[in-house]
């Protein structure tokens, strides 16, 4: 990406192993993230550009001398943050704060919207998908596995941190791919009622198939009133905020019940927000969420995809070649596509 | 209170039962709260004044026709918010959001710094202290029972909502009576290391007796650096913010570790605060806390006081007659007294 709206596909040298803990992988599927649209709207022009992409399923091509848990030929899920999976924060389940981890597209580490990619901390980062030949697998299976790299497990993280329990009411603010994933995750955790706030019918229809029991198209004060009506005036035990803009945050504390939880996984496009007596404190609202440590959830999630228990890949509504990445960004930006899968 | 710094003791008519769910109680002990000092600093002049006080242990004098769980002569703890203890929010453990509850010193309900007080929703609100004659009990026992009306259980609420577990490091910001109570509560929940941030030696000394393992007198960036040093650069699993001012909040997110919890029980004197990527979101920090539903914890806490397991009443360092309430406020405001108990 060379600036707002300016995505180009360029040839760069193939990545090579630089450290003994690195691996090089080749793409099976990558995709464009809702969070990639933030710089797509706002990035300052840059002559060097920024390498994009952080979601990938891939085949290992080469490993450094110290790598022991994956080997060439393995089909793997690449979490959107790399991590050693052994430091104190990793062991506590927050691999996105790994003391030796980091994000893609920074420094020596390129983006994952690419034919080949360098993966640091390969032992800690990569998780093998057992018994699947990526060349023979269906598009729908590959799509679901790809969501474990970020989008589904980001929705899951929100529901997990909010400790969604059977019988609860969960409101999801936002009908993007993360919001729909959060609906599916809340359902797997036993939420009884799931209210999806969104106004794109094609998306909320998928939300209903994922488990939403109610759809609220209204926003702001009207949307809040609708959710309060639906919950007998009590509000929602859990609100998952999957947008990242202030109106979504305001909607969240408007519909959460006393003692309830707001769990954010939309990357906040603000730094300060109401948290005082009138918004959170007076009602004992808990605010949780953050950058999802999807690595923590992969071992549990892969079998659920393989046995068909969940089909989170349904958030992908288009497949395009990597060479058409600029068109993929444009399609998501214009909301023609919910989420675009990229292939070679 | 008739304005900032202007507390007067006045004769008013005795309260009378107005609703069948009311009770009238007479004071055994009341006290001044740190939160009473906020209006003591800022209240606009008022000719009618505002009735103060919300912490009380008392003897029931009279009950309304529908009251069944307490009767005249019972020695009771009065939680600082009244509640029916049966509505949906009460049943979920958030009696401070009771659908039929409220605060003292509003409307028909007077303050509790008084010889006699009207208690609405007496069945839901009042909890009997079994087997104790208040006229024969020691001052120290009465002091500890009085803390169950607010201050100790407010500290406990912070630790409880933060889910303090054995082995964790807990940092408490603030060496007021709530902060010291939070130290004691964190200890009862098994915290391994308790870092108390405060600079009043007489108070932090009591904090050490309550279970603090480390005291940090520095504030701001220096205080943050000290706590990070003490925690091997990792930060604290839980931070209890028992002040309510922005610098204490900033200190809190400065010392909390990734995936950690900030639990606030200092009434926030701000509405907006940093919660974005740089402060909370990027590190998956959970922000919790609020107005403590002490009613939820009374049945468990009273026996711990009666059998001497905890002695939270040590936060009281002065007893004064109700008639000297203005001097009690002044002593707490000037920090000559940590917390003043009032008696008749």
């Amino acid at each position: 990406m060379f600036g707002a709206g300016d995505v180009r596909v360029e040839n760069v040298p193939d990545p090579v192993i630089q450290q003994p803990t690195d691996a090089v992988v080749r793409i099976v599927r990558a995709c464009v993230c809702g969070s990639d649209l933030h710089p797509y709207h706002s990035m300052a022009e840059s002559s060097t550009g920024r390498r994009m992409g952080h979601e990938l399923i891939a085949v290992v091509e080469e490993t450094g001398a110290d790598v022991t848990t994956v080997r060439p030929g393995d089909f793997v899920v690449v979490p959107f943050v790399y991590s050693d999976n052994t430091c104190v924060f990793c062991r506590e389940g927050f691999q996105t704060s790994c003391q030796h981890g980091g994000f893609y597209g920074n420094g020596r580490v390129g983006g994952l919207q690419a034919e080949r990619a360098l993966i640091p901390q390969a032992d800690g980062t990569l998780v093998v998908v057992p018994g699947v030949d990526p060349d023979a697998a269906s598009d729908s299976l590959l799509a679901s596995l790809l969501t474990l790299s970020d989008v589904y497990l980001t929705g899951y993280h929100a529901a997990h941190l909010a400790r969604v329990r059977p019988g609860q009411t969960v409101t999801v603010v936002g009908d993007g791919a993360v919001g729909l994933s959060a609906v599916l995750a809340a359902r797997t955790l036993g939420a009884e009622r799931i209210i999806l706030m969104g106004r794109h019918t094609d998306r909320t229809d998928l939300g209903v198939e994922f488990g939403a029991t109610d759809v609220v198209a209204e926003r702001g004060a009207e949307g809040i009133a609708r959710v309060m009506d639906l919950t007998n005036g009590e509000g929602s035990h859990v609100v998952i905020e999957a947008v990242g803009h202030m109106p979504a945050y305001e909607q969240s504390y408007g519909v959460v019940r006393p003692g309830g939880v707001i769990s954010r996984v939309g990357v906040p496009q603000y730094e300060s927000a109401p948290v005082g007596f009138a918004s959170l404190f007076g009602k004992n609202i808990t605010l949780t969420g953050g950058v999802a440590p999807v690595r923590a959830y992969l071992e549990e999630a892969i079998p659920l995809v393989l046995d068909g228990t969940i089909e989170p890949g349904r958030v992908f509504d288009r497949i395009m070649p990597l060479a058409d990445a600029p068109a993929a960004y444009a399609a998501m930006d214009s909301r023609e596509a919910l989420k675009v899968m990229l292939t070679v």
Side-chain angles (χ1 to χ4, degrees), chain A residues 138-266:
Chain A
S138 66
D139 275 336
S140 67
L141 178 61
L142 294 179
S144 285
L145 289 169
L146 179 57
T147 66
L148 304 185
S149 175
D150 182 347
V151 59
Y152 173 66
L153 289 181
T154 289
Y156 179 83
H157 178 61
H160 170 77
L161 277 190
R163 301 173 198 248
V164 170
R165 291 192 307 272
Q168 286 189 320
T169 296
V170 176
T171 298
V172 175
V173 180
D175 59 7
V178 171
L180 300 179
S181 296
V183 168
L184 180 58
R187 175 59 75 194
T188 67
L189 293 174
E192 183 176 305
R193 189 165 199 180
I194 302 174
I195 302 169
L196 174 59
M197 303 190 79
R199 49 180 191 161
H200 304 91
T201 316
D202 49 338
R203 298 176 177 199
T204 57
D205 284 352
L206 178 55
V208 170
E209 292 184 46
F210 273 174
T213 54
D214 302 87
V215 172
V216 170
E218 293 87 346
R219 302 172 132 196
E222 263 183 277
I224 291 169
R226 276 281 291 147
V227 174
M228 294 309 283
D229 275 354
L230 287 171
T231 57
N232 194 27
E234 295 166 10
S236 196
H237 295 97
V238 168
V239 181
I240 295 177
E241 195 280 82
V243 178
H245 292 293
M246 184 52 68
Y249 180 85
E250 290 166 344
Q251 214 153 283
S252 298
Y253 70 75
V255 302
V256 69
R257 85 205 266 119
V261 181
I262 298 171
S263 191
R264 294 181 300 165
V265 280

Side-chain angles (χ1 to χ4, degrees), chain A residues 1-8 36-37 39-41 43 46 48-52 329:
Chain A
M1 186 178 290
F2 289 83
D6 183 6
V7 175
R8 305 178 205 164
D36 292 331
L37 297 181
Y40 191 74
H41 293 147
M43 182 177 160
S46 156
T48 53
R50 171 174 153 191
R51 298 197 188 181
M52 300 297 295
Y329 276 78

